[in-house]
Amino acid sequence: MSTPFTVRIAEDPADREACFAIRKEVFVAEQGVPQDIEYDAYDAVAVHVLAVREDGEPLGTGRLLFGEVAAAKTGGDASVGSLGRLAVAGVARGLGIGVALVRAIEEAARAHGLTAVDLHAQTQALGFYERLGYEAYGPEFPDAGIPHRSMRRVL
């Protein structure tokens, strides 16, 4: 059964709050990430995307960092964006929402003139990102106590 949904840039405060609520459900409640490190100064300058069911129910989110703030996460290359905080609500997994969110973030990256997107993937999600064209590089590292790898996709 498919659930009709749309993905849009989260521009108004209600959309941003919906993004943060999904992140709280997935990262804080499900995965045990401390709330004080889940939300950061980057949230104020990031492009946030939001997937919503046709009745308006929030289903997933992600964010794109670009420019100087991304360069700190991408090895100093200002032409590379940083995809992060990708989360899909438990009730909405397996519906293609994660793929749609990643593609929307990539479109936002292109709109900002970026040539590639980096991300830090939880190791259990490597296959998901590989199927979308991302390639892992560098060693495994912990982030919020969860094993991660760096990945990149050239746009």
Side-chain angles (χ1 to χ4, degrees):
M1 177 180 133
S2 72
T3 299
F5 66 91
T6 59
V7 176
R8 65 177 183 251
I9 301 294
E11 294 184 17
D12 65 46
D15 279 354
R16 293 275 180 115
E17 287 305 314
C19 292
F20 297 153
I22 292 165
R23 286 169 45 187
K24 185 174 184 177
E25 173 191 332
V26 173
F27 297 124
V28 177
E30 285 181 28
Q31 298 182 359
V33 173
Q35 190 163 318
D36 62 328
I37 65 170
E38 172 52 32
Y39 307 101
D40 58 27
Y42 297 123
D43 282 325
V45 296
V47 174
H48 297 268
V49 295
L50 176 66
V52 293
R53 197 168 53 204
E54 62 182 6
D55 66 1
E57 179 70 23
L59 300 174
T61 188
R63 75 179 186 187
L64 171 70
L65 301 177
F66 60 94
E68 259 182 57
V69 295
K73 295 178 170 282
T74 62
D77 188 343
S79 71
V80 179
S82 177
L83 183 160
R85 303 305 202 268
L86 189 76
V88 175
V91 298
R93 293 185 188 139
L95 302 174
I97 292 166
V99 172
L101 288 165
V102 170
R103 296 306 187 217
I105 290 168
E106 292 170 350
E107 283 304 312
R110 284 185 192 93
H112 283 89
L114 303 177
T115 60
V117 174
D118 267 19
L119 58 87
H120 294 162
Q122 293 182 9
T123 55
Q124 54 86 17
L126 288 172
F128 168 78
Y129 291 110
E130 287 169 344
R131 287 188 296 277
L132 296 178
Y134 287 80
E135 294 182 15
Y137 66 90
E140 184 176 290
F141 61 92
D143 187 1
I146 301 168
H148 283 71
R149 291 274 315 273
S150 294
M151 301 187 85
R152 177 172 287 182
R153 179 170 186 255
V154 175
L155 298 176

